[in-house]
């Protein structure tokens, strides 16, 4: 199962990040997790929000270009070593991970947002190994 | 009214024109039989008109008479076309020095139209037309419109700014003359422009290449797919360089089937109508019965052999109001005299590789902005919008290129690859070291007229 990730390209200009976050706030789009990858020249803000489609629409209205892409939000036990166990499974199948970032919530589970070169294959591997994935909407309910 | 020399070649009876025109309506056509005259005949007309123009200018235009006297040339020294090289040049500076009407060959009473180019520094350059000049202009633009594929059946939307700029009115009268239906929408209000295109079924678009791209972008934002939902089949572009890369980019936005032809002119010479591209896409045919082209070495002023690249110099041989002799255009091109497959015998000038005015000198390297544009457009993930910024750091020039992504990506690796690709290509192809800054789609300034993409912040 895939979840929709919202990506915004951020030029390295003071206040740009705050502007993007401001648009989401004004429109009541809740951020569940994020990763900001940056160099001195630009940044990529990847967001997991409760309503990615609405987020994109509102950003477009305000003149920010964004992208919706499929990622896996993977549920793993909130304990030492579980992330490594997950990666072992994926590595074993020869799939290349492009990026990942995590979020932990106040429960027994932790969640990892993962994008691989072959998303479909990862999804199959996860299902085959009994590892659960969830959507943004489900995540928002936790 | 001044009667300018040998008229026999463009005095066709009205019936003759109508007959010729109706017989070809709806197909690509050659507007005037002059365009297919044998070379000897073209040269005979040119010499006759040149001699007449030089005598008239010597008599009526004091600043040019002074130049000729200083150079020791009299009108009767012009015996052959080769003697043209004996005559002094006219430059833009001469026009400024004689602002507004000093280089005119007629009194103000005889003018029926005045245009001016916006001077970024100092006074604008002023140009004026007699009744006869307007007829000439209309004739010249009619020819280049047909060359570019226009017909009397077209609905032509003119998205050049109307006003003191010659582009819009030049194309307006030329296209109207061939029977096209003109939509004089000018620039701006791009959403309404798209609405007109839909509702009037516009088939021909007149715009700068950058505004044509902008319009396609606005259409897409409105949910209108130019290729599917609009009927635009020809774009007559001008006033800005059309590089091959830019042409390709226009196809990406307007579809692969749209016919894109460029045309050339400048207000000092007349406006649009000096030359235009035919459907063979092998350069722009110069209206040689009205203009004599030469290519010179811009440094020495010497005339270069046929086929060599240099600065284009144009002599107007049938203008009444402002007949400029050997005007230095600052445009870099070359000329071809081989007969074209389209049937025209008029010589062709290569699509411009740059304007010497626009040439940038960066750390000792001479480069045209159009060359940087070609590099940018060769990278697939980048859009056609960019900004070239030049600064001075200590004693060194610093070049920064800001360029828009075509789409947002979620891959950091892709962004790094794009940046590296632009840098490498600039280094390998142009010898330039640049800082490349990617910016989000739709954030750089859009232009309705001539795009201004270079910001030179170096103190000169
Ligand atoms: Zn041709």
């Amino acid at each position: 199962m895939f979840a929709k990730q919202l990506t915004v390209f951020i030029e390295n200009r003071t206040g740009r990040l705050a502007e993007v976050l401001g648009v989401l706030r004004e429109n009541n789009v809740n951020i569940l997790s994020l990763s900001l990858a940056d160099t001195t020249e630009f940044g990529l803000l990847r967001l997991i929000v409760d309503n990615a489609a609405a987020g994109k629409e509102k950003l477009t209205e305000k003149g920010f270009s964004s992208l919706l892409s499929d990622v896996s939000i993977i549920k793993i036990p909130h304990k030492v070593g579980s992330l490594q166990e997950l990666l072992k499974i994926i590595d074993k199948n020869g799939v290349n991970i492009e990026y990942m970032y995590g979020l932990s919530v106040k429960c027994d589970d932790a969640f990892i947002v993962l994008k691989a070169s072959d998303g479909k294959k990862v999804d199959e591997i996860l299902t085959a190994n009994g590892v659960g994935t969830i959507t943004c909407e489900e995540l928002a309910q936790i | 009214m001044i009667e300018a020399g040998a008229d026999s070649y463009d005095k066709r009876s009205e019936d003759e024109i109508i007959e010729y025109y109706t017989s070809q309506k709806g197909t690509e056509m050659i507007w005037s039989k002059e365009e297919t005259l044998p070379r000897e005949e073209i040269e005979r007309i040119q010499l006759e008109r040149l001699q007449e123009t030089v005598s008239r200018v010597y008599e009526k235009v004091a600043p040019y008479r002074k130049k000729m006297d200083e150079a020791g040339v009299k009108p009767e020294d012009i015996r052959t076309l080769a003697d043209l090289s004996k005559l002094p040049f006219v430059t833009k500076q001469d026009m400024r020095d004689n602002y507004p009407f000093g280089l005119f060959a007629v009194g103000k009473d005889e003018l029926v139209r005045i245009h001016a180019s916006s001077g970024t520094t100092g006074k604008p350059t002023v140009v004026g037309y007699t009744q006869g000049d307007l007829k000439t202009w209309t004739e010249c633009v009619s020819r280049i419109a047909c060359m570019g594929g226009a017909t009397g059946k077209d609905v032509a939307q003119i998205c050049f700014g109307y006003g003191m700029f010659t582009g819009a009115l030049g194309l307006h009268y030329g296209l109207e003359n061939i029977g096209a239906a003109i939509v004089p929408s000018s620039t701006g209000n791009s959403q309404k422009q798209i609405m007109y295109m839909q509702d009037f079924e516009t088939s021909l678009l007149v715009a700068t290449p950058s505004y044509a791209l902008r319009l396609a972008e606005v259409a897409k934002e409105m949910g209108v797919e130019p290729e599917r939902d609009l009927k635009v089949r020809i774009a007559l572009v001008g006033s800005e360089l059309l590089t091959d890369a830019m042409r390709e980019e226009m196809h990406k936005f307007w579809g692969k089937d749209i016919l894109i032809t460029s045309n050339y002119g400048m207000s000092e010479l007349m406006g649009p109508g000096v030359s235009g591209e035919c459907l063979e896409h092998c350069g722009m045919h110069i209206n040689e019965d009205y203009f004599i082209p030469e290519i010179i070495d811009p440094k020495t002023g010497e005339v270069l052999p046929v086929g060599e690249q240099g600065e284009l110099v144009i002599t107007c041989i049938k203008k009444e109001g402002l007949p400029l002799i050997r005007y230095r255009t600052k445009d870099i091109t070359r000329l071809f005299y081989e007969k074209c497959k389209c049937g025209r015998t008029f010589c062709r000038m290569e699509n411009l590789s740059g304007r010497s005015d626009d040439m940038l000198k960066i750390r000792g390297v001479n480069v045209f902005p159009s060359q940087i544009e070609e590099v940018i457009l060769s990278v697939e993930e980048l859009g056609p919008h960019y900004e070239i910024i030049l600064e001075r750091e200590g004693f060194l020039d610093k070049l920064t290129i800001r360029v828009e992504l075509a789409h947002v990506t979620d891959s950091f690796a892709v962004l790094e690859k794009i940046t590296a690709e632009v840098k490498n290509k600039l280094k390998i192809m142009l010898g330039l070291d640049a800082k490349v800054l990617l910016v989000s789609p739709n954030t750089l300034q859009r232009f309705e007229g001539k795009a201004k993409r270079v910001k030179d912040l170096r103190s000169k």
Side-chain angles (χ1 to χ4, degrees):
Chain A
M1 184 192 321
F2 292 119
K4 289 287 176 205
Q5 170 186 264
L6 181 62
T7 304
V8 189
F9 178 87
I10 312 255
E11 290 142 51
N12 195 3
R13 186 154 68 69
T14 316
R16 192 78 179 163
L17 178 59
E19 285 170 32
V20 173
L21 297 179
V23 174
L24 298 177
R25 177 185 178 171
E26 275 159 34
N27 292 285
N28 219 8
V29 175
N30 190 20
I31 299 170
L32 305 172
S33 180
L34 67 81
S35 111
L36 182 62
D38 61 353
T39 68
T40 51
E41 280 145 24
F42 60 81
L44 267 188
L45 176 65
R46 304 182 183 114
L47 297 160
I48 298 295
V49 296
D50 56 352
N51 190 341
K56 181 175 167 60
E57 193 188 316
K58 298 300 171 191
L59 285 169
T60 307
E61 276 172 23
K62 296 286 177 186
F64 291 96
S65 300
S66 57
L67 172 81
L68 289 184
S69 49
D70 287 333
V71 294
S72 304
I73 301 179
I74 306 165
K75 189 165 84 170
I76 54 173
H78 202 321
K79 63 175 210 259
V80 176
S82 60
L83 180 57
Q84 201 203 355
E85 289 307 316
L86 169 70
L87 294 189
K88 272 187 191 164
I89 301 171
I90 294 172
D91 284 347
K92 202 166 64 191
N93 287 277
V95 179
N96 182 31
I97 295 173
E98 285 185 10
Y99 55 84
M100 61 179 204
Y101 50 101
L103 74 158
S104 73
V105 285
K106 280 185 185 160
C107 66
D108 293 339
D109 298 316
F111 297 89
I112 297 294
V113 180
L114 185 141
K115 168 82 181 271
S117 51
D118 188 342
K120 245 181 141 172
K121 191 162 176 193
V122 165
D123 202 46
E124 283 163 20
I125 298 165
L126 296 174
T127 313
N129 287 276
V131 182
T133 52
I134 63 171
T135 63
C136 302
E137 291 74 16
E138 286 164 344
L139 187 62
Q141 299 307 317
I142 296 169
Chain B
M1 180 82 48
I2 288 160
E3 261 309 311
D7 263 2
S8 53
Y9 288 93
D10 46 11
K11 265 194 181 156
R12 278 168 302 154
S13 75
E14 211 161 299
D15 287 345
E16 218 180 332
I17 293 171
I18 291 168
E19 190 205 311
Y20 180 79
Y21 174 58
T22 39
S23 69
Q24 307 232 9
K25 192 161 181 165
T27 59
E28 193 219 338
M29 60 177 183
I30 294 176
W31 177 253
S32 292
K33 58 188 176 195
E34 284 76 10
E35 297 173 70
T36 57
L37 287 175
R39 177 72 13 208
E40 316 79 68
E41 199 55 32
I42 295 171
E43 289 182 354
R44 197 189 65 71
I45 296 169
Q46 283 183 329
L47 181 59
E48 211 169 282
R49 291 183 176 179
L50 174 67
Q51 288 170 329
E52 187 283 330
T53 300
V54 174
S55 307
R56 184 161 45 91
V57 167
Y58 189 78
E59 186 193 330
K60 311 239 173 176
V61 185
Y64 198 75
R65 177 167 59 240
K66 190 163 163 263
K67 276 192 182 227
M68 282 177 65
D69 287 341
E70 279 164 10
V73 203
K74 295 274 175 247
E76 48 279 19
D77 295 333
I78 309 303
R79 293 169 212 280
T80 66
L81 284 177
D83 292 332
L84 180 59
S85 64
K86 294 177 181 165
L87 291 164
F89 294 116
V90 175
T91 63
K92 193 156 197 153
Q93 192 55 45
D94 292 321
M95 298 192 71
R96 294 209 181 98
D97 293 345
N98 294 287
Y99 176 86
F101 303 126
L103 294 178
F104 282 45
V106 299
K108 271 212 301 293
D109 291 357
E110 292 190 52
L111 296 180
V112 296
R113 177 97 64 78
I114 295 168
H115 280 280
S117 73
S118 56
T120 39
T121 50
K123 295 279 190 192
T125 44
V126 178
V127 299
Y129 304 78
T130 63
Q131 205 69 260
D133 288 334
L134 286 188
K135 268 189 206 150
T136 300
W137 193 9
T138 299
E139 163 71 16
C140 287
V141 178
S142 299
R143 291 179 187 177
I144 62 133
C146 293
M147 257 180 235
T151 73
K153 287 179 182 164
D154 278 307
V155 176
Q157 192 160 328
I158 299 184
C159 310
F160 271 163
Y162 278 72
M164 296 306 273
F165 165 62
T166 51
L169 286 166
L171 266 309
H172 181 119
Y173 286 105
L175 283 159
E176 199 168 75
N177 189 46
I178 69 165
I182 305 296
V183 182
S185 58
S186 196
T187 55
N189 215 339
S190 303
Q191 297 205 347
K192 200 160 258 171
Q193 301 261 16
I194 303 300
M195 187 189 82
Y196 294 147
M197 285 181 202
Q198 283 183 293
D199 297 350
F200 305 160
E201 303 194 330
T202 299
S203 59
L204 186 155
L205 179 69
V206 173
T208 59
S210 41
Y211 194 42
L213 286 180
R214 175 65 190 149
L215 286 169
E217 213 170 55
V218 171
K220 283 175 195 269
E221 281 165 19
M222 293 165 68
V224 175
E225 273 304 320
E227 194 170 4
R228 183 191 68 205
D229 304 326
L230 298 178
K231 297 220 158 52
V232 179
R233 62 173 195 96
I234 301 182
L236 292 183
V237 299
S239 156
E240 227 177 65
L241 287 190
L242 177 68
T243 57
D244 286 345
M246 192 50 139
R247 197 192 290 267
E248 240 171 72
E249 196 64 28
M250 281 186 68
H251 279 296
K252 269 193 217 160
F253 280 79
W254 283 94
K256 63 180 190 326
D257 292 330
I258 189 171
L259 190 56
I260 303 163
T261 52
S262 63
N263 58 80
Y264 173 83
M266 55 176 61
S267 59
E268 296 92 311
L269 301 173
M270 188 168 71
V274 174
S275 67
E277 198 177 21
C278 69
L279 302 186
E280 299 295 325
H281 296 301
C282 56
M284 299 182 281
H285 288 283
I286 298 176
N287 279 315
E288 280 192 277
D289 49 345
Y290 292 99
F291 304 98
I292 302 180
E294 298 169 274
I295 296 292
I296 63 159
D297 178 332
K299 286 202 187 81
T300 63
E302 246 166 81
V303 177
L304 295 173
V306 170
E308 271 185 44
Q309 192 180 59
E311 180 181 341
L312 177 70
V313 169
I314 294 271
T315 298
C316 305
I317 48 173
K318 206 174 180 316
K319 274 187 74 193
E320 297 169 351
L322 183 60
L324 295 183
I325 292 172
R326 301 198 86 199
Y327 184 70
R328 292 189 62 160
T329 65
K330 297 197 167 184
D331 286 322
I332 307 295
T333 184
R334 67 182 96 223
L335 300 175
F336 305 107
Y337 283 85
E338 297 81 21
K339 190 177 167 182
C340 183
K341 280 189 207 138
C342 74
R344 291 176 180 83
T345 50
F346 282 169
C347 76
R348 286 163 285 141
M349 57 186 266
E350 191 175 54
N351 282 16
L352 301 187
S353 42
R355 298 212 68 205
S356 54
D357 264 3
D358 296 339
M359 176 132 72
L360 302 170
K361 196 162 185 164
I362 306 168
R363 293 194 186 188
V365 179
N366 286 333
V367 60
F368 288 117
S370 55
Q371 292 175 293
I372 297 177
E373 177 179 285
E374 290 210 69
V375 167
I376 292 168
L377 294 180
S378 72
V379 179
E380 202 177 321
E381 296 91 344
L382 294 177
H385 304 281
Y386 61 93
E387 213 174 73
I388 297 170
I389 303 155
L390 284 162
E391 293 159 298
R392 182 94 69 192
E393 250 182 17
F395 293 103
L396 283 179
D397 296 330
K398 197 179 119 199
L399 168 66
T400 305
I401 294 169
R402 298 183 68 212
V403 55
E404 252 180 41
L405 289 165
H407 312 282
V408 178
T409 165
D410 66 334
S411 167
F412 209 70
V414 167
L415 296 174
E416 283 180 326
K417 188 207 90 170
I418 299 171
T419 312
E421 191 178 341
V422 175
K423 278 185 162 180
N424 286 341
K425 282 186 172 167
L426 287 171
K427 180 79 194 165
I428 294 163
M429 293 160 72
L430 305 174
L432 292 176
D433 282 305
K435 182 174 178 182
V436 176
L437 293 181
L438 302 177
V439 304
S440 195
N442 276 314
T443 47
L444 292 179
Q445 194 186 345
R446 299 297 194 260
F447 299 94
E448 293 174 348
K450 207 173 162 162
K452 295 178 194 74
R453 296 198 171 97
V454 179
K455 284 189 182 157
D456 197 341
L457 308 172
R458 300 174 292 186
S459 47
K460 281 180 185 150

